[in-house]
Amino acid sequence: MTQKMTLTVNGHQHKISVDDPDMPLLYALRDDLGLNNPRFGCGLGQCGACTVHVDGVPTRSCSLPVSAIGKAKITTLHGLGNRQKPHPLQTAWIEEQVNQCGYCINGWMMEGAALLKRNPNPTEPQVREAFSDLICRCGTHNAAVRAVLRAAKQV
Amino acid sequence: MGNLDLSRRTFLSSTGAFMIGLASPDVWAQAAKPSPLSPNNPKLLADQLDAYLSIDKTGKVDVFYGAIDGGQGLETSIAQMVAEELDVPLSSVRMIMGDTRQTVNMGGASGAQGVSRRGTSLMKAAALARQILVEEAAKKLRAAPADFVVQAGVISLRNNPDKRITYAQIIGGKSFQSNVRWNGQWGNPHDIATDAPLKNYKDYKIIGQSPKRPDLAKKVFGEQDFPGDVRLPGMLHARMVRPAVAGAVPVSVDEQSIRHIAGAKIVHIKDFLAVVAPKEWDAVRALRALKVTWSQSEPNFPTHKEVHAHIRKAKVTQRTIERENGKLEEGLAKATRVISGEYEYPTHSHASMGPGCAVADVRADGATIYTSTQKPHYAADGIADLLNIPRDSVHVIWMFGTGSYGRNDQGDATADAAVLSKALGKPVRVQWMREESLGWDPKGTASVNFCQAGIDEKGDVIAYELISRGFSRENVATNEGRASATLAGQLLGAKPEPKNTFNIPFASYTFAHNRVGWETVGPLMERASPLRSTHLRDPYGPPILFGSECFMDEIAAAVNMDPVDFRLRYLTHPRDKEAVRIAAEKAGWQKRVSPRRDIDTSSDIIEGRGIAYRRHFDTFIAVVAEVRVHRKTGVVEPTHLICAHDVGLIINPETLRHVIERQLVYGTGRTTVEELTWDRNMVTSLDWNSYPVLHMQHVPPRITVHLIERPEAAPSGAAEMALGLVPAAMGNAVFDATGIRLRKIPFTPDYVKAALAV
Ligand code: FES
Ligand code: FES
């Protein structure tokens, strides 16, 4: 049974029709809406590549059924800021030249931004803790920590 | 989609000199003297300057880089090299990378040779372009070329700066039509020469600076598209259907099993099986719902636990002694003491963050392929072979994508997409699944190192032998340039073409009697094997250096020498020694014979330090690891890694530091946690729990990179050499702390605890 739904993403409303209510949010964002930021890394909730904010909470969109979203507001990396009005973490991320390939970037930046919101002045161990369940195969871990600490100084 | 403006390159065909008929691939292959005609684009000639750069009417410079940037900053570093020799602002240089219609085959990301080979080639092209433009200016302004200076693309008379002309005014939008001396090679060995002199390093203004990478900002703002983001009209989503037992092939497929999924279809050609659907999630559902009867297969693999025993007893298919001096047997006979050691390195997956993904649009008149493979030109060759279409009808568009770390699953996914698009007559996007990426990517395979040394009565080391035995590094080729080198090709009937290749890293240790070599054993399953080997990042580094550099420490301990002093005594090349000396100095290395005797070794946490050195091409590196060994839990915790790194001329110091730091983190993962597991039938480490990779908790929190300045020396490579030292440096540190020699990777708590208990 096809269901009609409305998703609020980065402040815009999008109507979609969904055949399978169990379809993960990731596929709605990428396939129905054509958004590229959340990426498929594992589909198992193990890596973070698909992370978006759902009402401000970093969420792995590969493991959340689209039917569970309801009226929640979704923010992708693209919605965090832009070149005109960058999020402080985006500025810091560029300053620190964090990524190699960048395939993992949604997980790290969305977790980092959520941490700064919860705790504008985190300690290094707190940053490491916030990143403890993320994967980056290129080894950018320490650079990501430096970027959050740099952004914290600017917030 | 990015701005893929092909019209920029069409001028090459508009002049008579470039009007060359199509050579068929066979003619190409048989030609005695290599033709400069790019087999992937009949308009490009490798012996023409125009193949490498062009300047448009506004003075913008396009550089045609026939390889790629895997996210290590080559786009910026090579642009710096070109801007430097051309005397234009960096901001006016645009890098066109890996597009097979716009570039000639300069290899790919391979051997960390982006700067050293390919960047240097493009610098030579830039110097020639500058020379031609200055000569032209001299003619136009009636003065001698030597009377001119160039600044930011403006050529002016030294004594009369008002007399000036710009690059754009001279050449803007036109071709150079000038020859370069091409060495007749494609791929990694490709190179060119010209008579234009290069600058002296003392005059560099752009090289040596650290401009930031343009791709990074795009990634940070969510603007950077990867192949998986390409959406073409009418495109179908595909998932490959793989067997649960290696070697099994589909006997029958139940079409009814996916009938309930709108638009889902099966593609079954010989042993190649996939499902497609207009919507991506439907392709995933079809993959899960599809009922397949598979043939019986009994691979009977030796398991990952048995693989080293298998390597020890399997028939040796090739033995090659790479370096030998003196007479080893005589040396050993003269020795008063002979010590020996064996070291095992496991199998690793490329385990890319993004599983293989590509989009193919194959039509009657040609194929367009979107991929992030490391070797796009070879992908084009392979697809032409696979689909049996002319090479120049395949256009591979390379895009930034997931890190590949060697030949990962991108090339195989690209071949899958091409086969499916041809079969369906529609654009197809293939996305491998996580279990598929870990299970079916080509692997970096296991090795056993056999080491022995002879010591005379004075305590001098007079004999040394290292034999590394393992699987060839090329059960499938290191690129997907032939149908036989891809899973799709093998499933469609192409006969596998395994090769025996192996290599031992060079080291300048000098012993009177010395033998260094390798032995290979046959592949685990000939066709479409999930355990087929190929290049995994630094293919000859960690597996061999873990043995050779740990054994150097064993010898040092046997002759009662400090590990740094030992290396300084037996290394002979000054740059090797300098790297070792500086790494030790930066680490505040305390001289002692390992293991340390100055602390209570029965306490729960013991600290130790170890060093390892290597040379790769003209890159000289030493890494010191400081670790804490937790005796009760068996955890080996790297607390600080210190690297001294001599790459010759440094193009972009900040980028280089990042490249090295990330390698040391990655190398830690390949030392402490990563190991592919499999049973008799199939790979069993199919997700991020069963194939563990480094998480933050296990990352060395402090990493110190010391760049050794040697601007007078040619730039060498840096993208993979440092990581290979982490296993040995950490193993040596554990020995220093505990007196226990770890002989296999990974250093899991269970293994370390067991080793400490002995
Ligand atoms: S793709 Fe969602 S956690 Fe990996
Ligand atoms: S930068 Fe490549 S996976 Fe994180």
Side-chain angles (χ1 to χ4, degrees):
Chain A
M1 271 292 289
T2 305
Q3 254 176 285
K4 300 252 183 260
M5 287 181 198
T6 303
L7 293 180
T8 310
V9 186
N10 299 336
H12 298 283
Q13 302 214 321
H14 303 266
K15 292 200 188 328
I16 56 166
S17 10
V18 174
D19 289 335
D20 177 3
D22 290 338
M23 175 173 81
L25 173 62
L26 175 66
Y27 293 85
L29 295 174
R30 290 192 56 89
D31 206 20
D32 292 285
L33 271 49
L35 300 177
N36 292 340
N37 305 153
R39 298 194 178 281
F40 175 78
C42 65
L44 304 166
Q46 295 175 344
C47 74
C50 62
T51 305
V52 296
H53 288 178
V54 177
D55 282 341
V57 180
T59 304
R60 299 193 170 181
S61 67
C62 72
S63 305
L64 183 70
V66 63
S67 55
I69 303 297
K71 293 202 160 32
K73 290 194 183 65
I74 298 161
T75 309
T76 70
L77 177 58
H78 203 74
L80 211 57
N82 54 41
R83 287 184 193 252
Q84 287 69 46
K85 272 186 80 178
H87 187 285
L89 190 57
Q90 286 172 314
T91 309
W93 217 262
I94 293 169
E95 277 305 309
E96 294 291 341
Q97 296 279 286
V98 173
N99 287 100
Q100 188 163 303
C101 76
Y103 201 93
C104 63
I105 198 167
N106 293 278
W108 292 80
M109 290 201 66
M110 299 311 272
E111 286 287 354
L115 169 68
L116 286 173
K117 196 148 196 204
R118 284 198 305 276
N119 177 358
N121 223 337
T123 61
E124 183 175 329
Q126 285 170 331
V127 180
R128 288 187 183 272
E129 172 62 30
F131 285 154
S132 64
D133 198 22
L134 290 169
I135 291 178
C136 169
R137 292 294 290 143
C138 297
T140 65
H141 306 64
N142 288 346
V145 174
R146 292 195 291 269
V148 175
L149 294 174
R150 176 190 280 263
K153 278 191 217 134
Q154 285 155 7
V155 178
Chain B
M1 288 298 313
N3 192 11
L4 301 165
D5 184 4
L6 300 185
S7 62
R8 289 199 49 75
R9 301 239 74 189
T10 52
F11 64 82
L12 290 177
S13 63
S14 63
T15 61
F18 297 97
M19 294 295 276
I20 292 195
L22 283 187
S24 80
D26 290 344
V27 171
W28 166 250
Q30 287 159 18
K33 190 163 175 261
S35 157
L37 171 64
S38 165
N40 293 325
N41 179 359
K43 291 168 192 156
L44 282 183
L45 292 159
D47 63 357
Q48 294 295 313
L49 180 56
D50 295 307
Y52 304 101
L53 61 87
S54 71
I55 300 174
D56 78 5
K57 291 198 175 106
T58 67
K60 291 266 179 213
V61 179
D62 274 350
V63 176
F64 302 103
Y65 181 54
I68 66 116
D69 174 3
Q72 308 232 57
L74 284 174
E75 180 180 24
T76 303
S77 299
I78 292 177
Q80 285 178 261
M81 296 170 85
V82 169
E84 182 69 67
E85 283 299 339
L86 202 51
D87 276 322
V88 295
L90 182 64
S91 59
S92 69
V93 177
R94 179 171 74 158
M95 294 282 292
I96 311 291
M97 299 187 283
D99 185 308
T100 61
R101 281 276 158 86
Q102 304 195 69
T103 65
V104 300
N105 183 357
M106 298 167 83
S110 177
Q113 300 175 87
V115 163
S116 61
R117 289 199 83 103
R118 301 179 262 281
T120 306
S121 286
L122 291 170
M123 262 177 114
K124 291 184 255 183
L128 176 62
R130 182 189 190 278
Q131 186 182 59
I132 292 169
L133 291 164
V134 170
E135 277 167 9
E136 201 58 34
K139 267 190 232 151
K140 284 197 161 57
L141 301 177
R142 292 169 214 280
D147 296 340
F148 290 90
V149 288
V150 185
Q151 233 182 357
V154 181
I155 311 169
S156 54
L157 265 182
R158 200 184 311 271
N159 302 328
N160 184 3
D162 288 343
K163 279 199 110 182
R164 51 162 62 192
I165 186 166
T166 66
Y167 283 178
Q169 285 167 333
I170 299 174
I171 193 90
K174 290 180 297 204
S175 57
F176 282 96
Q177 299 196 45
S178 178
N179 285 299
V180 296
R181 289 192 301 279
W182 171 58
N183 67 353
Q185 308 267 358
W186 301 110
N188 279 352
H190 167 283
D191 200 4
I192 58 168
T194 82
D195 293 325
L198 295 175
K199 284 186 185 173
N200 185 296
Y201 70 88
K202 291 186 183 125
D203 298 326
Y204 286 158
K205 295 184 202 77
I206 302 173
I207 287 178
Q209 303 298 312
S210 295
K212 299 204 183 300
R213 290 158 45 197
D215 66 304
L216 209 129
K218 287 189 202 147
K219 288 166 182 170
V220 162
F221 290 114
E223 299 165 355
Q224 180 70 60
D225 285 350
F226 291 169
D229 303 326
V230 173
R231 296 179 180 88
L232 302 176
M235 182 178 87
L236 295 171
H237 289 274
R239 290 296 181 278
M240 301 305 300
V241 184
R242 310 270 179 213
V245 177
V249 299
V251 177
S252 66
V253 184
D254 177 5
E255 286 182 31
Q256 295 298 320
S257 59
I258 60 162
R259 253 194 58 188
H260 60 290
I261 301 167
K265 278 200 201 106
I266 296 161
V267 180
H268 182 184
I269 314 165
K270 296 185 183 167
D271 297 336
F272 177 98
L273 182 62
V275 286
V276 297
K279 295 204 64 176
E280 184 170 13
W281 178 242
D282 290 336
V284 178
R285 286 167 72 206
L287 170 68
R288 293 186 181 156
L290 189 73
K291 291 208 170 77
V292 182
T293 308
W294 297 95
S295 68
Q296 278 294 320
S297 172
E298 285 179 23
N300 204 18
F301 292 132
T303 69
H304 69 281
K305 289 196 177 131
E306 300 161 344
V307 72
H308 297 104
H310 169 84
I311 290 170
R312 284 191 170 82
K313 66 171 197 280
K315 186 171 161 269
V316 169
T317 49
Q318 185 171 332
R319 175 180 163 92
T320 297
I321 299 304
E322 286 200 346
R323 293 180 286 280
E324 190 162 26
N325 58 266
K327 292 212 169 82
L328 181 74
E329 280 71 21
E330 270 180 28
L332 290 172
K334 265 196 235 151
T336 49
R337 253 189 314 158
V338 174
I339 63 166
S340 62
E342 295 185 8
Y343 292 85
E344 296 175 354
Y345 197 81
T347 303
H348 286 152
S349 166
H350 292 78
S352 289
M353 190 75 189
C357 184
V359 172
D361 187 4
V362 180
R363 296 162 187 250
D365 59 349
T368 310
I369 312 287
Y370 304 84
T371 176
S372 59
T373 174
Q374 283 195 184
K375 300 189 179 174
H377 280 275
Y378 292 101
D381 296 347
I383 285 164
D385 187 23
L386 188 62
L387 305 185
N388 199 17
I389 58 178
R391 275 163 95 168
D392 59 41
S393 74
V394 181
H395 180 192
V396 172
I397 297 169
W398 174 83
M399 301 171 75
F400 279 102
T402 186
S404 40
Y405 325 110
R407 188 188 158 185
N408 72 340
D409 47 353
Q410 291 293 331
D412 285 291
T414 304
D416 292 339
V419 170
L420 287 165
S421 178
K422 184 173 184 192
L424 294 159
K426 291 199 169 168
V428 174
R429 174 185 182 274
V430 169
Q431 170 73 67
W432 281 29
M433 301 300 279
R434 170 49 50 210
E435 67 271 22
E436 191 179 6
S437 186
L438 289 164
W440 291 95
D441 77 314
K443 302 296 185 295
T445 55
S447 309
V448 182
N449 297 287
F450 302 92
C451 316
Q452 60 174 334
I455 301 160
D456 71 10
E457 70 282 351
K458 298 200 298 289
D460 292 336
V461 183
I462 54 170
Y464 173 80
E465 183 183 41
L466 164 69
I467 300 291
S468 189
R469 184 190 293 177
F471 300 97
S472 155
R473 291 304 189 265
E474 285 189 78
N475 291 168
V476 288
T478 61
N479 60 63
E480 53 275 11
R482 290 171 67 82
S484 60
T486 57
L487 275 184
Q490 295 191 1
L491 294 171
L492 292 168
K495 201 171 153 340
E497 300 172 288
K499 274 200 263 168
N500 270 314
T501 61
F502 210 95
N503 202 338
I504 305 287
F506 179 80
S508 76
Y509 294 112
T510 302
F511 306 107
H513 306 279
N514 178 59
R515 180 187 291 157
V516 171
W518 51 266
E519 296 168 343
T520 48
V521 302
L524 296 173
M525 180 175 279
E526 300 282 337
R527 169 179 181 258
S529 173
L531 299 172
R532 67 202 184 285
S533 65
T534 195
H535 279 185
L536 166 63
R537 197 173 186 194
D538 194 9
Y540 303 103
I544 298 154
L545 292 163
F546 171 54
S548 61
E549 278 297 296
C550 281
F551 189 65
M552 281 303 158
D553 248 49
E554 278 197 75
I555 314 176
V559 298
N560 284 318
M561 279 183 83
D562 170 83
V564 168
D565 285 347
F566 180 82
R567 284 171 174 80
L568 292 176
R569 161 144 187 216
Y570 287 97
L571 285 171
T572 45
H573 193 285
R575 286 172 74 179
D576 289 323
K577 291 180 151 186
E578 190 70 351
V580 169
R581 201 186 56 68
I582 290 178
E585 179 191 304
K586 297 289 162 189
W589 182 270
Q590 309 273 322
K591 250 186 219 198
R592 62 175 170 251
V593 176
S594 292
R596 64 188 306 179
R597 294 170 178 87
D598 56 339
I599 50 158
D600 175 9
T601 49
S602 66
S603 63
D604 180 34
I605 297 177
I606 321 168
E607 295 182 347
R609 87 298 187 247
I611 190 165
Y613 133 89
R614 84 181 295 186
R615 157 123 47 115
H616 190 72
F617 298 128
D618 281 334
T619 309
F620 305 80
I621 318 176
V623 168
V624 172
E626 296 175 358
V627 306
R628 266 189 213 139
V629 183
H630 299 249
R631 296 178 65 94
K632 283 200 197 103
T633 57
V635 168
V636 177
E637 180 195 351
T639 52
H640 190 186
L641 299 181
I642 302 98
C643 178
H645 195 282
D646 169 7
V647 73
L649 174 71
I650 297 167
I651 308 298
N652 183 319
E654 188 189 0
T655 292
L656 180 59
R657 275 176 202 287
H658 277 103
V659 161
I660 297 165
E661 176 185 297
R662 293 190 294 248
Q663 281 177 67
L664 296 174
V665 173
Y666 170 88
T668 303
R670 288 185 60 188
T671 304
T672 55
V673 293
E674 288 185 50
E675 178 172 28
L676 192 85
T677 65
W678 65 91
D679 60 18
R680 296 259 174 267
N681 292 331
M682 182 54 205
V683 176
T684 52
S685 46
L686 297 171
D687 66 10
W688 292 128
N689 293 329
S690 48
Y691 188 89
V693 293
L694 205 65
H695 280 79
M696 189 62 97
Q697 314 56 324
H698 305 298
V699 168
R702 278 181 77 201
I703 292 179
T704 304
V705 174
H706 181 82
L707 303 180
I708 298 172
E709 305 267 349
R710 256 186 234 289
E712 71 288 356
S716 181
E720 63 181 11
M721 290 75 168
L723 74 94
L725 292 174
V726 179
M730 281 185 65
N732 291 339
V734 171
F735 178 75
D736 180 55
T738 64
I740 298 297
R741 240 328 125 197
L742 298 182
R743 298 202 173 268
K744 66 175 195 192
I745 299 284
F747 298 164
T748 60
D750 282 351
Y751 166 56
V752 174
K753 231 172 19 179
L756 293 176
V758 173

